[in-house]
Amino acid sequence: MADGSAYQPETAANGLTTTSDYSGQLSAEKLDDFSSPSWRKRSRHFLVLSSAGKPIYSRFGNEAQLSTLMSAVQAIISTFADMSDPVRSMTMGQHIIVFYTNGPLYLLAVSDRGEPAELLRNELQLLHSQIVSILTSAQLTKIFEQRSSYDLRQLLGGAEVLIDHMVDSLDTDLSFTLGSLDTLWIRYKLRERVGKTLLAARPLKGLLYAMLVADMKLVTLLRPRKHSLHPSDLHLLFNMATSRTFLTGEHWTPMCFPKFNDQGFLHVYLSYISPHVALILVSADRDGFPSLALCRERIYEDLSSDDALLRLDDAAAQRALRPSELGVTGLLQLYYRHKTLVQHFGTRFDDSVSEEQKRRIINVYKRLRLYISGGGLNPLRIIYHKSESDTVLAWQSSSFELYATVAPTMEVKGMIRLVNAVLEWIKNEEDHLFVVNAPSY
């Protein structure tokens, strides 16, 4: 495993540079400064700076144009630190400002959505993990020990688009908040077929993990019997796979998995074997590209020998089930988390739900999960949340968590009948919804 001590791009054995450029064109939202109306009207902001006050990242606006704001943030954090009373959050009118510090990095979230401070702090920790996945904790520490005023943007380079995607996903996808893996709904026999292919194609040495992923959804995963990757590490890996850079060709890049080992890199081979399905291979060998490229060819040839790859791509193209496909009427959206498997699935939103309503519902889900998962003082088992536009139910048992949204006109009894019908459908479809028997070696 690389020790992460060098700041320069690594190069694979075949000469392929491995500091993958994830960059796209600079969007207009990145050109604002904090005094512009367009920047101020954003309901959420995420900022990262160094302990010396150097700007590192902002979801909206140009970091260079936000240097004055970053310096003010650094001064606030330093002032409270000097009093041995670290600042955690502040409230200013309708806005809550949440701070999170970790080593040489200061992170800040600002929101006017009424979100609890703990929820935003959890999201800042995810943002920190995304940065660590690119550089490692060891490299971050060494850089700032040698030069406290170092401009970290030089190393992050085009990887900013990965951070943007993760931050945006927090608004529209519950996967990060649930801390579990989103799985692709496919027939059990097809999933089993894919798993056997991964196992048969495994090289004799060098491969740690192999997986197929479709649109941030896990198809199946091959792993060592006594080791597994943490869901949050896999989220970071899946997030990388969504970058347009990786849609064509073969890619070999170092990546840090913070929960696995935040001090060094593993090495990731990534290639799309169909328009919607990515093959991801993880190795500890920095020179393992040639053997993993051969592994990819064996997997592709085997899955193409019949209609397995075509059926897999068709399933991936559908992205997610529609609420009506669960055999009920009146459901606008649903998430179900399997506690034992640490996996979940979510339906699409009903076509009647607007983009703004989607974001609001996801925000409600996140807050309700905080209350039922122990984040509040008195964890709850069932929460019924009614608004003018929809009704949300959050329910946890010893084996599952469920979050469902229906129209506001549906009565409580009707919603209970609907949820019970969905639970029965999930019980019957469990083998197709989740990775129940993942292959191992």
Side-chain angles (χ1 to χ4, degrees):
M1 183 184 298
D3 62 9
S5 60
Y7 309 155
Q8 299 301 318
E10 296 191 25
T11 302
N14 65 341
L16 179 65
T17 182
T18 60
T19 53
S20 300
D21 181 8
Y22 316 103
S23 59
Q25 294 184 343
L26 189 66
S27 58
E29 63 194 19
K30 290 291 187 180
L31 302 178
D32 296 332
D33 62 56
F34 73 94
S35 62
S36 67
S38 58
W39 192 87
R40 290 174 175 267
K41 75 177 182 180
R42 302 284 182 182
S43 60
R44 301 208 322 164
H45 286 281
F46 289 86
L47 307 173
V48 184
L49 60 149
S50 70
S51 56
K54 286 285 187 178
I56 295 174
Y57 171 79
S58 175
R59 174 60 189 93
F60 301 107
N62 186 298
E63 294 87 3
Q65 300 297 322
L66 301 173
S67 57
T68 302
L69 176 62
M70 299 283 195
S71 297
V73 172
Q74 188 269 342
I76 292 171
I77 294 174
S78 299
T79 299
F80 281 90
D82 291 341
M83 295 188 295
S84 299
D85 184 22
V87 60
R88 294 176 59 81
S89 64
M90 302 170 61
T91 301
M92 300 180 65
Q94 294 184 336
H95 291 81
I96 183 170
I97 305 173
V98 177
F99 302 85
Y100 173 67
T101 62
N102 192 316
L105 300 187
Y106 292 170
L107 297 92
L108 173 78
V110 182
S111 174
D112 65 1
R113 298 180 182 175
E115 295 160 298
E118 184 174 349
L119 183 65
L120 291 170
R121 188 169 295 107
N122 291 342
E123 294 183 349
L124 288 176
Q125 291 170 351
L126 291 170
L127 175 54
H128 180 267
S129 293
Q130 180 68 75
I131 294 173
V132 170
S133 75
I134 300 166
L135 298 171
T136 78
S137 287
Q139 186 163 312
L140 281 170
T141 300
K142 187 171 184 178
I143 289 170
F144 288 106
E145 282 180 348
Q146 294 178 351
R147 187 177 169 189
S148 62
S149 60
Y150 185 82
D151 186 350
L152 197 64
R153 290 174 297 174
Q154 298 177 46
L155 285 182
L156 290 177
E160 186 181 67
V161 70
L162 296 183
I163 308 174
D164 286 349
H165 185 267
M166 191 204 74
V167 170
D168 291 345
S169 294
L170 294 173
D171 253 358
T172 58
D173 186 352
L174 207 60
S175 295
F176 292 99
T177 302
L178 289 175
S180 53
L181 297 178
D182 194 0
T183 50
L184 182 70
W185 184 89
I186 57 174
R187 306 314 297 176
Y188 173 79
K189 290 295 184 182
L190 178 57
R191 199 188 308 273
E192 185 180 47
R193 161 89 164 82
V194 173
K196 289 180 178 179
T197 298
L198 295 183
L199 186 59
R202 181 178 69 92
L204 294 177
K205 61 178 182 178
L207 179 66
L208 292 176
Y209 302 92
M211 63 203 81
L212 287 181
V213 178
D215 188 38
M216 295 283 284
K217 294 177 173 57
L218 180 67
V219 177
T220 194
L221 168 69
L222 172 68
R223 63 175 181 84
R225 284 189 179 89
K226 297 183 179 180
H227 299 280
S228 60
L229 286 173
H230 194 279
S232 64
D233 284 341
L234 289 170
H235 288 155
L236 299 174
L237 183 59
F238 296 175
N239 186 55
M240 183 180 72
T242 63
S243 172
R244 288 178 297 175
T245 301
F246 295 105
L247 294 180
T248 59
E250 299 174 270
H251 303 272
W252 181 243
T253 183
M255 180 175 176
C256 175
F257 294 82
K259 294 291 187 182
F260 181 82
N261 175 18
D262 66 356
Q263 299 299 302
F265 289 114
L266 292 176
H267 299 269
V268 175
Y269 173 95
L270 196 156
S271 175
Y272 273 78
I273 60 174
S274 75
H276 300 98
V277 179
L279 171 67
I280 303 176
L281 307 174
V282 181
S283 173
D285 181 7
R286 64 181 295 173
D287 299 319
F289 178 87
S291 66
L292 297 190
L294 290 174
C295 177
R296 186 259 188 206
E297 288 306 309
R298 290 194 293 269
I299 292 170
Y300 177 79
E301 289 175 4
D302 186 75
L303 294 179
S304 300
S305 64
D306 53 22
D307 64 347
L309 187 57
L310 180 61
R311 288 190 292 143
L312 190 59
D313 195 69
D314 286 344
Q318 295 179 23
R319 300 173 67 89
L321 293 168
R322 297 182 181 276
S324 59
E325 293 181 90
L326 275 60
V328 295
T329 57
L331 180 65
L332 299 182
Q333 203 280 332
L334 176 135
Y335 274 98
Y336 177 94
R337 182 179 188 269
H338 194 302
K339 288 187 174 182
T340 302
L341 297 175
V342 198
Q343 299 171 22
H344 71 268
F345 88 95
T347 70
R348 301 183 192 186
F349 280 91
D350 185 79
D351 292 340
S352 64
V353 180
S354 68
E355 291 301 317
E356 179 57 35
Q357 189 180 3
K358 291 177 185 177
R359 286 190 288 270
R360 192 188 59 76
I361 290 171
I362 292 294
N363 186 41
V364 171
Y365 285 167
K366 290 192 291 186
R367 282 187 288 156
L368 297 187
R369 184 170 197 269
L370 190 65
Y371 300 143
I372 71 171
S373 64
L377 294 177
N378 298 300
L380 303 172
R381 289 186 63 248
I382 299 177
I383 305 176
Y384 182 78
H385 180 278
K386 190 177 180 67
S387 69
E388 292 182 359
S389 55
D390 47 63
T391 299
V392 175
L393 177 71
W395 179 12
Q396 75 159 334
S397 72
S398 59
S399 60
F400 69 82
E401 294 176 32
L402 181 144
Y403 306 86
T405 302
V406 299
T409 54
M410 184 176 291
E411 299 293 334
V412 175
K413 291 182 179 179
M415 189 172 193
I416 292 174
R417 285 194 298 269
L418 180 149
V419 168
N420 284 333
V422 167
L423 290 174
E424 185 65 26
W425 181 88
I426 292 172
K427 181 180 178 181
N428 294 331
E429 294 287 323
E430 183 171 295
D431 287 347
H432 312 303
L433 288 168
F434 303 111
V435 184
V436 178
N437 294 308
S440 61
Y441 62 93

